[in-house]
Amino acid sequence: MEARYKLLKAGVPDKDLISKSNKMLYIGLTFALVFLISHFHVQYTPAEQFTAEPHSAIFDTEGVQQCPSALPPPASPPAPVNLWASLDLEDAVQIRQWLHAPERKLNLTQVDTRYASSDNMLYNLEAYYPSKAEALAYLGSPSSVPRPDRYARVTIHHGARLEPVIKDYLVGPLPVGPQTEMHELTSIYHRNDIPFHARGIAINNEIIQFLGGMMAPLADATKELLGSVAVGLPNDTLSLHPSAPFSFDGEFRRLWFQCKRNTAGSYLQPLGFFQYFDMSGTDPSQWKLLKIVYNYQIFHNTESFLEAFHNGTLRRLPSRLNDTTDLSWSSRKRIGLQRDLDHLPGPRSVSFAGLRFRVDRKLQYISWMGWGLYLGFDRDMGLSLWDIRMQNERIVYQLAPQEALAQYAGNDPIQANTAWLDRYFGMGAKVGNLLPGYDCPHEAVYLPATTHTDFGIITREQAICVFEHDTGRPLTRHVGSVDGEFGAARGYVLTIRSISTVGNYDFQFDYMLHLDGTIEVRLSASGYLQGTFWDSAQGAYGTRIHNTTMGSVHDHVINFKIDLDVAGVKNSLLHTSTSQEEVTQPWFDDDWGQTVVQQRITREYITNEDDALLKYPSNFQGGYAVVNKEQTNKWGVPRGYAIQPGYSPIHNTVVGSKRLLNNANWARYNLAVSVRKDSEPASSSMWNANLPGAPLVDFHNFFDGENITQEDLVVWVNVGTHHLPSAEDSPNTRTSTASSSFFLTPLNYFDYDISIDSTNAILLTPPKEPGDAFTYDDYGVKPAHCVPEAPPLFEYYG
C-alpha cells in the first residue's frame, strides 16, 4: 500500500482544496512556520528539559510496509573451501591433544595452569597457508583439482631446556591422523634460531610479582614524591608501563618502566620516575634492577636512591597545583554543556529494499556489485582479504596488513627508547567485539574471528563488520544540455572493518570496495597517547597537554602486502612521471609566440628489484602501477592497476636508530615491489620487535637484484601519520585526523569506467520547451519506502 504522510501538527488541509498554483507556497510557509517555532523552542529550553520526540509522534505511518529482513542473502563462492580460514575449534583441539601426547616428548605445560618462564608452553597455533601455486590450481578447477593439504603453524617456548629457545613448527597434514608429522619451520626466516629473549610478555604473574617486590621498598618514597604507591596489589595507585625493544640481538632482555597513576587513562598520567630492569633468563629470582632515573638523576640501585631521598640530597621535582586532586580529565566521561539538538539521535543508514551484498558466513566469503572475496584472519595482524575478484576476474590474490610501527622521541628514558612493532603483541588476538551502532552502522552484518594463543582458543562473534553505505556524494556526474550527457551515479561503497586495541591505541582497518573497480584501504587510529612527564627540557619533543603531561612526537607507519595478479600472474612495474617542457609549435602565430611551456608524460618500466624501493615523487608528479605488458585492453594499452596515495602518504622519519636498525626496513619507503615467493610471506615477524640488530625477517633481504619484468610481483605499501600531539589529543586521538590510506585503482584495466553500468543512476533529458521540467530515466530503480526494523538496545559482550 502506498504510504500516506500527514503533517499532524502543521494542519495542512486536504490537497484537493489547495490549487496547483499556491500549493507549494502554502506548504513552504507551513514548513517555515514549524521550523521557526521549533527552532525558537530549542534555543531557549534548558538542556535538562530536552525530550526526544519520536518520529511516530509527527508522522502517520499507517499502511507503510515493513522493510525486508536485514539479513544478507547467501553468496556463491567460486570454491567450496576457504583456503585461508582460521583453524576451527575441532582442528585446534585435536592439534593441542596431539602435541601434549607423551610420544611427542614436548613436555608442554597445560593451558589451564599458571605458566612459568622455565616451562615449555604452546604460545601460538594458527593455520599455515598453502603455496600460491597449489591454491591457484585448486581455485581454477575446484571440482577436479584436490584441495591442498592443510597444515598448522605451531610456536613453542622451550623454556625448560638448558638453553631456552623458541621454535616454529609445521604440523600436518590435517585433520590429525596417522600421516600427521611435525617439522621445524625455518625457511621463512633469515636466521635459524629464535632467541628466547625475543619473546613477548606472556607470563604476567611473574612480572607482576617481580615488580611488586622491587617497588615495595620504595613505597614511602613514591608516596611522598609521586603521591602514589605500587606493591603488586589490586588497589595500587601506581602502574608501571614498559617500553620496547627489550633486546637488540637476543643476548639480553632488559626493560624500561615508567610510573603512571593507576586511573582511567593512565597513559596520560605519567610521573617522572623511571626504572630499568634486567629480566634475562628464565629464573625471576635472578632478575634485577639496573637503574632508577628521577628528575634527571641516575641511581644504580634502590639503596642509593633511598639514601639520597632520606638525607636530603635528592633534587625533587617541583610540586604543581592540581596534579593529583582531579584525575578524571584523562577518562572518556562526557563533560561540557550539551550541544544544541544533541539530545536527538543522529541520522542512520537503512537499506530500505534489503541488503545488497551477499555473505557466506561459514566460508567467510562476501560478494557485492561484481566483487567477490574470501576473508582470512590470524593472530599476528588480524583481518586479511584473499582472491579478490571483479566480474569473476582475479585482481588481488592477497591483501594483508604486515606490521605496525610507532617510534617516539623525548628527553627521558622511555620516549627516547620506544619503538613498538605491534605484530609482536598480536593485533589479531587483540581484536575485540565491535560496538553496534558506534563502530559500525546498526544494519551492519557481523562475522566472527578465532585466534589460538597461549590463553587457549578465543572466538569473538562480532570481530568483523560488513556494510554498504552511501558516501553522500556522486561517484560521477555532469550537467549538460545535450541529450545523453546530463546525469549522476550514486556513490556507494562496501566496507569490511575490524578494530584492534593494542595497549593505548585502537587501530581501525577498513577495506572499501568501490563501484568503479577501486579498492581503498584505510587505517585510522584513536585511543590514548603514550604520554610522558612534562618539563621545559621536553619542549623540542612534543607539546604540553595538561599540568604535568606531554604528548611526544612519534611516527605511526603500517605496512600492507598486496599480491596483485593483474590480468594474470605475470606482471611488470610501470613508473609514470610528468615534467615540464618548452617546445616550439609552428601553428601558433605571433600573437602568442611559437613557444609553449607545458608538461609531458614519461613512462618507463622498472626492471630490477633493487630499483623498486620507492618514495612518492615531489608534488606527486607521477606514480606507480602494476601492469601486464602481455595483456591489453580494447585500445591496445597494457592492462594495469595503479597504487595511488590517499590520506597522509608517509614513511618513517628516523633512519639509523639502533632501536629499529634492521627490523623495520620496510618503513623507510612509501612502497616497494619484489618478486613474490612462498619463502617471503611477510615483511616482519612477531619476534622482530625485540631483535632490531638481528631480526628473523630483514625486509632488505627480499631485494637481491632479481628481474621484475613479467614476474609474479608483490607490492608493499605504507600508510601512517607523523603525529605531533596537541591538546586536542586529550583524552583520545581523533580518527578524523589520524587516518591514512591508499587506493588500488584500475589503469586501463577496463575499456571504460565500469561504474557507468550501475542502475543506481539517473539520466536527465532537457525539456523541449523552456520552463518545462526535465524528463529522466532512473533505470527502474525507485526509492524504496518502508518501516525499518527497530534497532536493538545496545548490548556488549567482551
Side-chain angles (χ1 to χ4, degrees), residues 496-650:
I496 305 169
R497 172 176 296 162
S498 71
I499 300 178
S500 179
T501 302
V502 182
N504 53 314
Y505 261 104
D506 297 63
F507 294 94
Q508 175 179 306
F509 292 89
D510 285 347
Y511 301 93
M512 293 174 280
L513 306 178
H514 295 255
L515 294 168
D516 64 346
T518 294
I519 303 170
E520 181 181 356
V521 178
R522 183 182 302 174
L523 191 287
S524 304
S526 187
Y528 286 97
L529 292 173
Q530 177 180 296
T532 193
F533 191 78
W534 176 85
D535 63 42
S536 58
Q538 294 272 30
Y541 307 104
T543 303
R544 183 182 182 185
I545 62 172
H546 206 260
N547 194 42
T548 60
T549 303
M550 184 186 87
S552 301
V553 61
H554 58 281
D555 280 354
H556 289 288
V557 189
I558 297 88
N559 188 240
F560 284 85
K561 176 184 180 180
I562 311 137
D563 183 354
L564 281 157
D565 288 347
V566 179
V569 173
K570 303 298 185 182
N571 295 153
S572 299
L573 177 60
L574 175 65
H575 175 217
T576 303
S577 61
T578 63
S579 59
Q580 181 174 301
E581 69 171 6
E582 183 176 313
V583 295
T584 300
Q585 302 288 9
W587 46 78
F588 289 124
D589 57 29
D590 293 336
D591 291 345
W592 292 95
Q594 292 185 326
T595 298
V596 174
V597 178
Q598 59 186 5
Q599 60 178 327
R600 64 177 293 138
I601 299 173
T602 300
R603 298 181 180 90
E604 60 179 352
Y605 287 98
I606 298 174
T607 61
N608 190 292
E609 271 186 332
D610 293 346
D611 299 322
L613 296 160
L614 306 166
K615 295 178 180 177
Y616 293 127
S618 175
N619 199 34
F620 295 105
Q621 289 180 218
Y624 301 93
V626 171
V627 306
N628 192 327
K629 297 170 69 174
E630 297 170 357
Q631 297 291 327
T632 62
N633 65 7
K634 186 177 180 179
W635 319 116
V637 182
R639 300 176 70 191
Y641 254 75
I643 302 98
Q644 291 190 357
Y647 304 119
S648 187
I650 73 157

Side-chain angles (χ1 to χ4, degrees), residues 74-95:
S76 299
V81 169
N82 183 343
L83 298 176
W84 310 280
S86 301
L87 293 173
D88 61 26
L89 179 62
E90 183 178 356
D91 278 335
V93 170
Q94 286 183 357
I95 294 168

Side-chain angles (χ1 to χ4, degrees), residues 298-316:
I298 302 172
F299 304 89
H300 293 282
N301 51 56
T302 301
E303 292 73 20
S304 61
F305 171 79
L306 290 176
E307 182 181 357
F309 170 73
H310 289 299
N311 67 22
T313 59
L314 184 71
R315 297 193 305 275
R316 302 191 176 205

Side-chain angles (χ1 to χ4, degrees), residues 455-473:
F455 294 107
I457 301 167
I458 305 170
T459 295
R460 295 173 177 84
E461 291 297 328
Q462 295 183 322
I464 304 164
C465 73
V466 186
F467 58 93
E468 183 184 14
H469 67 102
D470 186 343
T471 63
R473 62 177 183 176

Side-chain angles (χ1 to χ4, degrees), residues 50-297:
F50 281 170
T51 58
E53 197 167 26
H55 287 203
S56 58
I58 301 176
F59 294 109
D60 175 13
T61 58
E62 180 184 353
V64 180
Q65 294 179 346
Q66 185 74 32
C67 290
S69 168
L71 296 175
S76 299
V81 169
N82 183 343
L83 298 176
W84 310 280
S86 301
L87 293 173
D88 61 26
L89 179 62
E90 183 178 356
D91 278 335
V93 170
Q94 286 183 357
I95 294 168
R96 287 177 182 272
Q97 291 174 343
W98 189 84
L99 292 169
H100 279 272
E103 54 266 34
R104 302 288 93 76
K105 299 180 180 180
L106 294 172
N107 190 29
L108 295 175
T109 301
Q110 291 289 341
V111 70
D112 57 352
T113 62
R114 277 200 165 190
Y115 294 125
S117 294
S118 55
D119 289 337
N120 294 337
M121 59 175 286
L122 177 59
Y123 183 69
N124 188 36
L125 172 63
E126 63 186 14
Y128 191 76
Y129 302 137
S131 71
K132 184 176 180 180
E134 291 178 306
L136 292 185
Y138 171 74
L139 292 170
S141 184
S143 61
S144 59
V145 176
R147 171 185 177 169
D149 286 339
R150 295 190 301 128
Y151 286 83
R153 173 184 171 184
V154 173
T155 303
I156 295 178
H157 288 186
H158 293 281
R161 291 191 179 185
L162 187 61
E163 292 187 9
V165 70
I166 300 170
K167 287 187 179 293
D168 260 358
Y169 300 94
L170 284 185
V171 174
L174 303 176
V176 170
Q179 304 301 316
T180 301
E181 296 179 339
M182 182 176 181
H183 302 285
E184 191 172 347
L185 175 63
T186 59
S187 61
I188 61 174
Y189 301 129
H190 296 137
R191 56 184 290 178
N192 292 325
D193 66 315
I194 305 174
F196 201 66
H197 288 145
R199 71 192 188 281
I201 301 178
I203 320 297
N204 284 313
N205 57 295
E206 285 185 349
I207 293 179
I208 293 172
Q209 186 176 4
F210 168 74
L211 293 178
M214 291 290 101
M215 293 298 296
L218 297 168
D220 291 340
T222 59
K223 178 66 176 177
E224 183 174 330
L225 297 173
L226 310 177
S228 306
V229 297
V231 292
L233 298 177
N235 62 348
D236 282 352
T237 53
L238 275 183
S239 61
L240 276 72
H241 292 234
S243 70
F246 304 161
S247 183
F248 178 69
D249 57 6
E251 293 297 317
F252 59 83
R253 191 167 188 256
R254 296 171 182 167
L255 287 74
W256 277 103
F257 283 87
Q258 181 175 17
C259 286
K260 300 191 178 187
R261 296 189 182 95
N262 192 13
T263 186
S266 62
Y267 307 100
L268 295 184
Q269 299 278 358
L271 299 163
F273 192 87
F274 308 88
Q275 294 162 289
Y276 192 38
F277 297 106
D278 189 327
M279 297 182 177
S280 302
T282 61
D283 184 357
S285 68
Q286 300 302 309
W287 297 352
K288 57 187 176 182
L289 173 71
L290 298 178
K291 292 177 188 176
I292 292 177
V293 176
Y294 170 78
N295 196 15
Y296 302 102
Q297 301 159 90

